[in-house]
Amino acid sequence: MAAFALGWSDADGRPHQGDGGKGVRPAIAMLSAEAVGGTAESALPAAVAVELVHAFSLAHDDIIDHDERRRHREALWKAYGVGPALLTGDALLALAVNQLAGRPEAMTYLSRALIELVNGQTADMAFENRPWRGPNAVTIAEYTEMVAGKTGGLLAAAAAAGVALGGAPELGDLMWETGRDLGVAFQIVDDMLGIWGEPRVTGKPVYSDLRRDKKTFPVLAALAADHPAARELSDLLAEGVSDEDSVHHAARLVEEAGGRAAAQGLAERYVAAAVAVMDEHLPDAADLRALCVSLADRAR
Amino acid sequence: MAAFALGWSDADGRPHQGDGGKGVRPAIAMLSAEAVGGTAESALPAAVAVELVHAFSLAHDDIIDHDERRRHREALWKAYGVGPALLTGDALLALAVNQLAGRPEAMTYLSRALIELVNGQTADMAFENRPWRGPNAVTIAEYTEMVAGKTGGLLAAAAAAGVALGGAPELGDLMWETGRDLGVAFQIVDDMLGIWGEPRVTGKPVYSDLRRDKKTFPVLAALAADHPAARELSDLLAEGVSDEDSVHHAARLVEEAGGRAAAQGLAERYVAAAVAVMDEHLPDAADLRALCVSLADRAR
């Protein structure tokens, strides 16, 4: 089941050249090590750990969110049942912890990321039950805090553990903060792909965030705009978007009110801030920088 | 939700003097530290960590096993739903890892326990779908291996991390093995309580293991006996025990065939072996020894 989750086998256990994801987190770990003069190999335990934690979180998130599709295939729980998928997630996490148990300079960051991940996921769940408007509406500041944990924590751990294992533990805390910024950018772009992405490419059903009232950045930004489309969108979301027509219409209004442009702009600013820190403090950040810039370009 | 899981609050979040469990694992950690001349406080991070991991595993196991009751109350998932309970389990695990992230001498044991725990739980699940007799029947050796992981891993981590933090890391591996033996004894007694325990005391519905074909030691031992009741039990289990009468009858046959006595005897031998190691290698094992002996007496 773990091999299925990682894209290495099909549901019957046969070897399978599946979509194992982009490998962004391990790439950040290894490029961060290289950026401080270490070898990519020096960060390998951290690279493996963050990818395993990512796989763990997908396995559990899909159960929590009732998402039936992941990476062009059935979600793990859909293929094997909730109990086995839950336990497989636990196994992936145990293996991740095992990678770094003897390396406190990296383990402390992984541990911090786990707590951030759970806090972020908890907030994400709670936000689904809060309204789009009115005094209890989710604010953009709350959104940013949520995604800095949910998505940023693990990117932060990858970057911080990467430099720590690469020979520059004194840069760990700085890279932690930088990784969180990258995570915010990364999630904003993911939010965009959830609305305007090609399901063929993303492997996820389109509009599922909108359908379930997920508080994503493009929608929050659109609602905050001073634009007629923002008011129409607000009314539409208050009614609830469930049928194909209304969800499609909502997506158009988000774009019309400027939500898409605001998202792209903010993601790029977060990446630029992260890249500036890297350029200033890391001896050789060229490859890491290129990766980070590419992350903001995925929804263009 | 974590407070509910730990017995500190009711389902509405009000403070509650609930049943938080026996605290065996933290007691082993702290008494192990004292047994090598350390303070109980020196093992506190390990004590907290093993109790949190235990709470994590209960939260997830109850989802996997569809157990609706835990410690005289609703199970966590029953009170809050599967998704929130799953995430609460993850949070408890993240907090556990956080306790020891900077202490590799203890973290390595906790990490090993997590892997054993998942392996043991996986085997336990798989055994439910295997027959009681015939070539594919679960053997007593397989059972012992399974519980050494499922229950022994965390007791082993408590004992090993306890002596490591108490100032005797060189005794860690020895205490790991000893803790696994204790775990086997502990689980055999738990199996007995699942059949002959008072639901008022155990907080669990009686006979649930029997009903769901859990491969517990008393039943395996009874089936292995050369006794007419063993053959009757074998036929009864092959038919499946679901109604109140047949499950009650099965319990009687297990006792008649000697399964209860065999379980008590084996648990005591495992405890005796563990205690002998402690007496030989630990400077001051008196309190730890007393705790261990009491563990085997719970089902008398």
Side-chain angles (χ1 to χ4, degrees), chain B residues 71-287:
Chain B
R71 292 176 181 165
H72 311 283
R73 299 193 298 176
E74 283 185 312
L76 188 67
W77 70 270
K78 193 74 186 160
Y80 296 99
V82 167
L86 190 169
L87 193 56
T88 302
D90 291 345
L92 291 163
L93 180 54
L95 290 168
V97 169
N98 194 49
Q99 283 289 321
L100 296 177
R103 311 291 294 266
E105 72 278 24
M107 185 69 225
T108 46
Y109 292 117
L110 190 76
S111 165
R112 211 188 283 178
L114 290 175
I115 289 178
E116 298 260 339
L117 197 63
V118 171
N119 278 338
Q121 176 68 12
T122 305
D124 197 20
M125 270 174 59
F127 288 179
E128 287 184 36
N129 297 316
R130 282 175 53 191
W132 285 104
R133 60 183 179 187
N136 196 31
V138 174
T139 67
I140 287 180
E142 285 178 308
Y143 167 91
T144 310
E145 178 65 22
M146 180 272 283
V147 298
K150 186 182 82 157
T151 308
L154 203 46
L155 268 65
V163 297
L165 294 180
E170 71 282 2
L171 292 174
D173 288 352
L174 182 74
M175 287 302 281
W176 172 270
E177 293 305 325
T178 307
R180 273 172 64 98
D181 283 349
L182 271 183
V184 175
F186 191 74
Q187 185 60 52
I188 289 173
V189 174
D190 255 15
D191 287 354
M192 294 172 70
L193 291 170
I195 305 178
W196 300 288
E198 264 296 324
R200 260 183 310 121
V201 179
T202 65
K204 294 174 208 168
V206 78
Y207 298 145
S208 64
D209 288 348
L210 268 172
R211 273 181 231 277
R212 87 162 60 110
D213 272 346
K214 275 245 184 214
K215 302 304 180 289
T216 61
F217 184 83
V219 185
L220 292 173
L223 288 171
D226 184 21
H227 191 285
R231 286 178 288 280
E232 192 182 342
L233 177 65
S234 174
D235 292 340
L236 182 60
L237 292 173
E239 284 167 34
V241 289
S242 46
D243 62 292
E244 202 59 37
D245 279 352
S246 65
V247 80
H248 193 77
H249 185 48
R252 267 221 329 275
L253 290 170
V254 171
E255 187 154 9
E256 217 177 301
R260 182 172 188 167
Q264 184 66 41
L266 188 61
E268 286 173 14
R269 284 199 299 284
Y270 268 101
V271 167
V275 163
V277 171
M278 292 171 186
D279 284 346
E280 187 182 341
H281 294 279
L282 305 187
D284 183 15
D287 288 349

Side-chain angles (χ1 to χ4, degrees), chain A residues 53-91:
Chain A
V53 170
H54 181 51
F56 142 81
S57 76
L58 298 182
H60 282 189
D61 287 359
D62 285 344
I63 296 173
I64 293 169
D65 294 341
H66 304 286
D67 276 327
E68 302 190 352
R69 304 286 301 170
R70 169 71 64 185
R71 293 175 180 165
H72 311 283
R73 299 195 298 176
E74 283 185 311
L76 188 66
W77 69 269
K78 193 74 185 160
Y80 295 98
V82 167
L86 190 169
L87 192 56
T88 303
D90 292 346

Side-chain angles (χ1 to χ4, degrees), chain A residues 88-136:
Chain A
T88 303
D90 292 346
L92 292 163
L93 180 54
L95 290 168
V97 168
N98 194 48
Q99 283 290 321
L100 296 177
R103 310 292 294 265
E105 73 277 25
M107 185 69 227
T108 47
Y109 292 117
L110 189 75
S111 165
R112 213 188 282 178
L114 290 175
I115 289 177
E116 298 260 337
L117 197 63
V118 171
N119 278 338
Q121 176 68 9
T122 305
D124 197 22
M125 269 174 60
F127 288 179
E128 286 183 37
N129 296 318
R130 283 175 52 191
W132 286 104
R133 59 183 180 188
N136 196 30

